[in-house]
Amino acid sequence: MTTARFRWALATLIALTCLSSLQAQDAIPELILKPSIADGQLSHDAMLSRGYTPLFNGKDLSGWRNPYPFGEAKVVDGEIHLMANKKFFLVTEKKYSDFRLSVEIKLPEGKANSGVMFRCHVDPEAKKKVFGYQAECDGSDRKWSGGLYDESRRGWIWPSAEGRSTDQFLEHAEESKEFFKQPAIADALNRNGWNRFEITCIKDLITIELNGVQTVRFRDPTDASGFIAIQHHGEKGQTYRFRNLFIKELPEIPAEDHVSLTDQEPVSIKRVDEKTTLIDFGKVAFGNIVMPVPPGRGKGNVHFGEKLKKGRIDREPPGTVRYGVTPIRFGQQRGNWVVPAPNDDRIVQQAGLMYANPPAVLLPDHWGAVTPFRWIEIEGVEEDFPFELIRRRAAFSSTWNEEASAFESSDETLNRIWDLCKYSLKATTFAGVYVDGDRERIPYEADAYLNQLSHYTTDDDVTMAARTFDRLMENGTWPTEWSPHMVFMAHAQWMYSGDIEWLRQRYESLKSKTLMHRSGEDELVRSGELDQKRHDIVDWPKKERDNFVFTEINTVVNAFHIEALQQMAEMAQAVGKEEDAKAFVARAEMAKAAFQKTLFDDAEGIYRDGVGTDHSSIHANFFPLAFGLIPEDKKAGVIEWLKGKDMACSVYAAQYFMDGLFTNGCDSKALELILADGDRSWKHMVNSGTTITWEAWGLKYKPNQDWNHAWGAAPANLLPRFVLGVQVGSPGWKTANIRPCPGGLKFARGKVPTSQGPIEVDWENGDQFKLELTLPDGMSAKIEIPATDSSKSVVVDGQSAEATEEDGRWILKEPVTGKVTIESK
């Protein structure tokens, strides 16, 4: 997160900006509520950046045909213009099956109707030559844009209406028409501007999005493939305009280009009985095995496992801890073979029956199936078999650099926690994008953001973060607070890379992720009954919510909303959207005022869970603390209250709890919780013997938890960012902030990768504080070091340096560069 100073500057900018009229104030939300696609070239570049293939080259109509004897199509300034006196369709020459399609349409003034056909068909002999699925672009007052229509066949599918649909679709007629009356749906079309239609077809599942608003999610098995087409509705003299026609054929398999298989030798081989040999590979990894083909005749089994029980692979492990068996047959061929790991169908589903789940991230077919395992048992193979030739083929990021990062401190348990968390990041790169362990193999927004933060601090080639962001923007999940995490991911990627063009190409699409569509006049987000029962997460799993009481206006959801607005303001400023920046700051300031007035309990000095309850969970307090939402005169009381609490949250929320504590001078408390003796700490996790972090503190907190979940690896970013004290100062790491938080440790040293090169830190904490720092060429750093009780001044490379003492820290006036030694005296 960027400094409070930058946010203060933006807030001041708004305070000094006098909006000329109430009408101008009313227009502010329109700037930031909907994505703008006015800039066609920017949209074009964004689609290429996201891996799409053009359907239209911008110069001529290569790849397209008109199956009608009438209608005119021509290319004008990189657009396709359709003109006709009767309805006709311009159709691709190629058929497509599973894909994500993006088309931008601008309707003419007056009576107009258009659409995008997909998986459609052409019958040259028929009067109505083109028929099939169509995403509707409805310029009338009916406002069914984004609806699903079956052209020249079954009529309206979603919505549906008597006389316009076949009987099978009339059972949801009222429901679907009410759905299209919702303001977000009814107003999704920009009647007088450009509109982006995005259509995804996977198996029998069809989704349609209009300007970032999902209007259709429907299953229909009628057509599995067909052409793409664009429509002129037949109004005489009208010109329909189309641009930026792109397609991405599915499935994408990111591991093909970004992940490699590494052969690993066994760490130990043990014959456990006359039929079975146990092989240990030392740590869990995602993979399978390659082994010589056993000679002779007969059958055997290879058992794969993440967990041992009484010295053997646990064949009935708890939750979703992995176990499986693959049968093998002897002597059928010579040489080596790959023994695929057994897999659950759920991790390969592309259009499963679960409503909430996007497509699973697939792995290359030629790998064979993989699973997370540490041990195998070979059953039925003779004792003289060359078990030492068996190799595990483990999947890791092709660019993972083990030497990119390091951490060591005076606390050996903390060092073991670092090693566990760093390896967890490496081991979970197997899919080429961040996924939720091995239960569904899909990215979730919150999981991915925590993954991203820790990947930045452990590796020096982190293209996976941007890939995961793009996938999630196309395959979002259901929880309320997960949506603002997309803003956080984009902000973190911009700060890490400094790539302003990447941000500019994605900025507009982020406007739908702030939760503004659920906010009221006071800018606070409202949660309906379904939101309170299902969508609002607060923490996960449910047992980790510290008895949080759900209400219509709750503190946690609104903390995320406000932080998203603040980060959007910073990114708007960066991409040159000055009016957007002002609007976002204005909305954030309004929301913060209402947040404090509505949700803070003045009598108790802490935040309530929401309006209508007096209960205060730790979540209602550490999220505002982590996001810098607490007024200075209220902060000390909240901090003191939190310092009296244990880790009454999950491993996910602990990222934010620790962030809040470390940032606000409570490093001793943060380290105390990380190293606590109970079962809700990383000390417990590392002492359990696991080699990849868990999804939860233990099975009793989440019985179906994965044992290979990188959102449990928060110390991989907390220790470099706070204990070593290395944080990004400006986009692209042009500057850094070095602010060690020793928390009672005697020393810490390590290496933190950045986009400019590694930063090396080595500090000692005794009667005085000594910091040795090496920065990459071209980077400068602002320095804050702890002020020990006996320190009176600061020296840099033996020379007195100007510094001020604030809140127990020495703050150097001038930034430093290169290799320096800084000491308190």
Side-chain angles (χ1 to χ4, degrees):
M1 301 174 192
T2 51
T3 63
R5 187 178 294 109
F6 182 70
R7 288 182 177 166
W8 177 87
L10 273 177
T12 301
L13 172 69
I14 292 302
L16 296 176
T17 301
C18 180
L19 298 176
S20 58
S21 67
L22 181 61
Q23 182 179 7
Q25 291 185 27
D26 289 340
I28 284 177
E30 291 302 317
L31 291 170
I32 55 180
L33 269 174
K34 290 184 179 181
S36 169
I37 54 171
D39 189 333
Q41 186 60 51
L42 184 63
S43 297
H44 179 275
D45 295 344
M47 298 306 293
L48 291 176
S49 173
R50 291 163 52 198
Y52 282 75
T53 300
L55 286 171
F56 165 53
N57 63 21
K59 300 176 183 178
D60 56 46
L61 295 175
S62 299
W64 293 83
R65 61 194 173 101
N66 180 1
Y68 299 83
F70 53 84
E72 180 185 1
K74 61 181 181 180
V75 177
V76 179
D77 296 331
E79 301 172 3
I80 297 176
H81 289 193
L82 300 185
M83 295 148 286
N85 296 333
K86 293 188 289 184
K87 182 195 292 187
F88 88 103
F89 296 91
L90 190 68
V91 185
T92 59
E93 294 176 349
K94 180 181 174 181
K95 288 186 175 182
Y96 299 89
S97 297
D98 289 358
F99 53 81
R100 186 171 174 90
L101 169 70
S102 182
V103 178
E104 293 176 12
I105 304 176
K106 188 170 185 181
L107 295 174
E109 295 181 2
K111 186 177 180 181
N113 182 289
S114 185
V116 181
M117 301 282 287
F118 55 96
R119 286 183 176 175
C120 68
H121 307 281
V122 177
D123 182 353
E125 305 303 319
K127 182 178 180 181
K128 297 182 178 180
K129 299 181 185 298
V130 180
F131 61 94
Y133 297 129
Q134 177 178 311
E136 180 79 1
C137 185
D138 181 6
S140 74
D141 293 339
R142 180 180 57 180
K143 295 188 174 183
W144 281 5
S145 287
L148 177 58
Y149 184 70
D150 195 357
E151 173 74 27
S152 299
R153 201 161 53 178
R154 296 172 296 171
W156 280 99
I157 297 176
W158 180 269
S160 56
E162 188 75 38
R164 304 296 305 276
S165 308
T166 54
D167 290 347
Q168 70 190 100
F169 303 122
L170 292 180
E171 63 181 9
H172 59 242
E174 292 307 312
E175 175 194 357
S176 61
K177 284 187 284 188
E178 286 301 312
F179 178 81
F180 273 81
K181 289 179 182 178
Q182 296 179 76
I185 308 298
D187 299 333
L189 185 78
N190 179 5
R191 179 59 184 84
N192 298 311
W194 284 98
N195 296 276
R196 179 181 294 119
F197 285 78
E198 293 179 288
I199 301 150
T200 305
C201 294
I202 303 174
K203 309 300 182 187
D204 66 339
L205 182 62
I206 298 168
T207 59
I208 299 173
E209 297 164 52
L210 171 56
N211 294 329
V213 178
Q214 187 176 100
T215 54
V216 170
R217 182 184 173 95
F218 203 87
R219 305 190 83 98
D220 189 85
T222 302
D223 295 311
S225 67
F227 301 104
I228 310 296
I230 52 179
Q231 179 193 34
H232 190 296
H233 199 252
E235 293 83 4
K236 184 177 181 180
Q238 296 281 46
T239 299
Y240 288 79
R241 299 165 62 185
F242 302 82
R243 70 182 189 192
N244 290 331
L245 296 91
F246 283 89
I247 198 164
K248 180 187 290 184
E249 295 190 73
L250 302 175
E252 289 184 286
I253 305 178
E256 286 276 16
D257 299 319
H258 304 290
V259 179
S260 301
L261 296 177
T262 301
D263 283 356
Q264 297 178 322
E265 297 181 7
V267 171
S268 69
I269 302 170
K270 181 181 179 182
R271 190 74 170 176
V272 295
D273 62 33
E274 61 181 13
K275 293 184 177 181
T276 310
T277 299
L278 177 68
I279 297 177
D280 182 6
F281 289 96
K283 292 182 178 181
V284 174
F286 285 79
N288 49 38
I289 65 167
V290 60
M291 62 180 288
V293 180
R297 301 176 65 83
K299 299 178 182 179
N301 292 301
V302 178
H303 300 264
F304 297 81
E306 280 187 287
K307 181 178 180 292
L308 286 189
K309 184 177 183 180
K310 296 181 179 179
R312 299 290 297 273
I313 290 177
D314 189 344
R315 299 186 184 187
E316 294 182 350
T320 50
V321 177
R322 285 294 177 255
Y323 162 75
V325 58
T326 300
I328 58 175
R329 185 183 292 274
F330 305 160
Q332 298 298 303
Q333 51 194 316
R334 297 184 183 276
N336 297 319
W337 61 11
V338 173
V339 180
N343 268 340
D344 190 313
D345 287 344
R346 192 173 177 187
I347 64 175
V348 295
Q349 285 180 347
Q350 296 300 285
L353 296 179
M354 290 186 63
Y355 181 85
N357 277 15
V361 179
L362 299 183
L363 302 178
D365 284 339
H366 63 85
W367 284 9
V370 306
T371 198
F373 70 96
R374 173 175 173 176
W375 296 274
I376 60 169
E377 287 181 5
I378 309 289
E379 186 177 51
V381 176
E382 296 298 328
E383 188 173 6
D384 61 354
F385 179 81
F387 295 103
E388 70 279 2
L389 298 181
I390 294 174
R391 297 290 182 267
R392 178 170 66 183
R393 304 194 316 159
F396 303 116
S397 168
S398 301
T399 56
W400 182 270
N401 179 7
E402 197 65 34
E403 305 305 315
S405 61
F407 176 85
E408 182 184 8
S409 76
S410 55
D411 190 294
E412 186 54 36
T413 301
L414 203 61
N415 300 340
R416 291 170 58 212
I417 290 170
W418 160 260
D419 291 339
L420 167 66
C421 293
K422 177 178 176 178
Y423 178 73
S424 298
L425 269 295
K426 176 183 177 180
T428 53
T429 59
F430 72 97
V433 291
Y434 305 139
V435 296
D436 71 322
D438 197 51
R439 187 168 50 253
E440 297 138 352
R441 287 195 191 168
I442 61 174
Y444 281 97
E445 293 87 340
D447 306 50
Y449 176 61
L450 270 60
N451 238 282
Q452 175 186 25
L453 292 181
S454 293
H455 201 174
Y456 286 160
T457 54
T458 51
D459 196 8
D460 57 6
D461 187 332
V462 198
T463 58
M464 193 172 292
R467 284 198 301 279
T468 306
F469 172 87
D470 284 342
R471 186 179 182 99
L472 276 167
M473 289 299 290
E474 296 173 1
N475 298 281
T477 64
W478 53 271
T480 297
E481 297 97 307
W482 276 208
S483 184
H485 276 92
M486 294 307 298
V487 177
F488 300 176
M489 284 192 76
H491 186 275
Q493 174 65 14
W494 164 55
M495 292 299 290
Y496 177 84
S497 68
D499 189 342
I500 198 67
E501 194 58 32
W502 181 93
L503 181 62
R504 185 176 287 112
Q505 292 167 358
R506 289 156 178 82
Y507 164 78
E508 289 291 342
S509 63
L510 289 167
K511 290 179 177 178
S512 64
K513 301 297 182 179
T514 65
L515 304 179
M516 279 191 67
H517 63 286
R518 280 174 48 181
S519 63
E521 292 183 0
D522 57 3
E523 189 48 34
L524 294 182
V525 172
R526 268 61 177 175
S527 296
E529 184 177 350
L530 183 60
D531 296 319
Q532 294 175 48
K533 289 182 176 180
R534 172 173 168 76
H535 298 144
D536 295 356
I537 287 292
V538 174
D539 204 344
W540 196 259
K542 296 178 180 179
K543 292 181 180 179
E544 300 287 49
R545 293 171 174 164
D546 194 27
N547 297 313
F548 185 91
V549 177
F550 287 85
T551 61
E552 182 187 13
I553 301 176
N554 88 56
T555 306
V556 173
V557 165
N558 277 287
F560 273 94
H561 168 59
I562 296 169
E563 176 64 4
L565 294 177
Q566 292 182 147
Q567 292 194 16
M568 286 298 294
E570 296 171 31
M571 292 188 286
Q573 187 83 2
V575 300
K577 298 272 189 175
E578 296 287 344
E579 292 304 311
D580 282 16
K582 294 175 184 178
F584 277 121
V585 170
R587 302 297 287 187
E589 292 302 306
M590 183 191 305
K592 280 195 285 188
F595 184 87
Q596 188 65 25
K597 179 180 179 181
T598 305
L599 297 166
F600 191 76
D601 186 334
D602 286 303
E604 298 295 328
I606 54 177
Y607 291 91
R608 297 182 290 265
D609 293 347
V611 174
T613 178
D614 290 328
H615 184 264
S616 295
S617 65
I618 65 169
H619 303 73
N621 289 275
F622 67 65
F623 281 116
L625 183 66
F627 296 148
L629 304 182
I630 307 177
E632 284 300 318
D633 63 332
K634 308 294 185 184
K635 190 180 292 185
V638 173
I639 290 172
E640 196 61 31
W641 184 81
L642 285 170
K643 285 170 68 176
K645 300 296 180 178
D646 294 326
M647 191 79 82
C649 62
S650 76
V651 290
Y652 147 69
Q655 169 78 57
Y656 294 98
F657 191 11
M658 299 302 99
D659 251 306
L661 292 175
F662 274 121
T663 301
N664 289 280
C666 303
D667 32 303
S668 293
K669 176 64 177 181
L671 289 175
E672 174 191 319
L673 291 172
I674 290 171
L675 295 166
D677 288 329
D679 63 355
R680 304 175 70 85
S681 72
W682 281 280
K683 179 179 179 179
H684 163 68
M685 204 180 289
V686 76
N687 284 344
S688 74
T690 186
T691 60
I692 303 181
T693 50
W694 300 336
E695 186 181 5
W697 298 122
L699 288 163
K700 77 177 185 182
Y701 301 108
K702 192 175 194 295
N704 71 332
Q705 71 156 322
D706 271 339
W707 274 16
N708 42 68
H709 212 94
W711 85 344
N717 73 76
L718 294 170
L719 300 181
R721 290 171 55 229
F722 294 112
V723 174
L724 294 181
V726 177
Q727 298 196 39
V728 63
S730 57
W733 283 96
K734 299 300 182 185
T735 62
N737 296 324
I738 309 298
R739 184 182 179 274
C741 300
L745 296 172
K746 295 179 180 178
F747 71 84
R749 62 181 68 98
K751 180 164 65 172
V752 182
T754 80
S755 57
Q756 299 295 320
I759 295 175
E760 295 186 22
V761 172
D762 187 341
W763 58 252
E764 296 177 6
N765 182 34
D767 292 338
Q768 304 299 334
F769 191 89
K770 179 180 179 181
L771 168 66
E772 294 182 355
L773 175 67
T774 303
L775 300 170
D777 290 343
M779 182 189 294
S780 63
K782 296 179 180 179
I783 306 295
E784 292 185 28
I785 61 172
T788 60
D789 291 341
S790 59
S791 63
K792 302 298 183 184
S793 62
V794 177
V795 297
V796 177
D797 290 336
Q799 301 296 314
S800 179
E802 189 173 350
T804 56
E805 187 178 358
E806 295 181 19
D807 298 326
R809 306 186 72 85
W810 287 108
I811 303 173
L812 269 67
K813 180 180 179 181
E814 298 296 332
V816 301
T817 59
K819 186 173 183 179
V820 294
T821 299
I822 303 159
E823 300 175 81
S824 63
K825 292 290 186 179

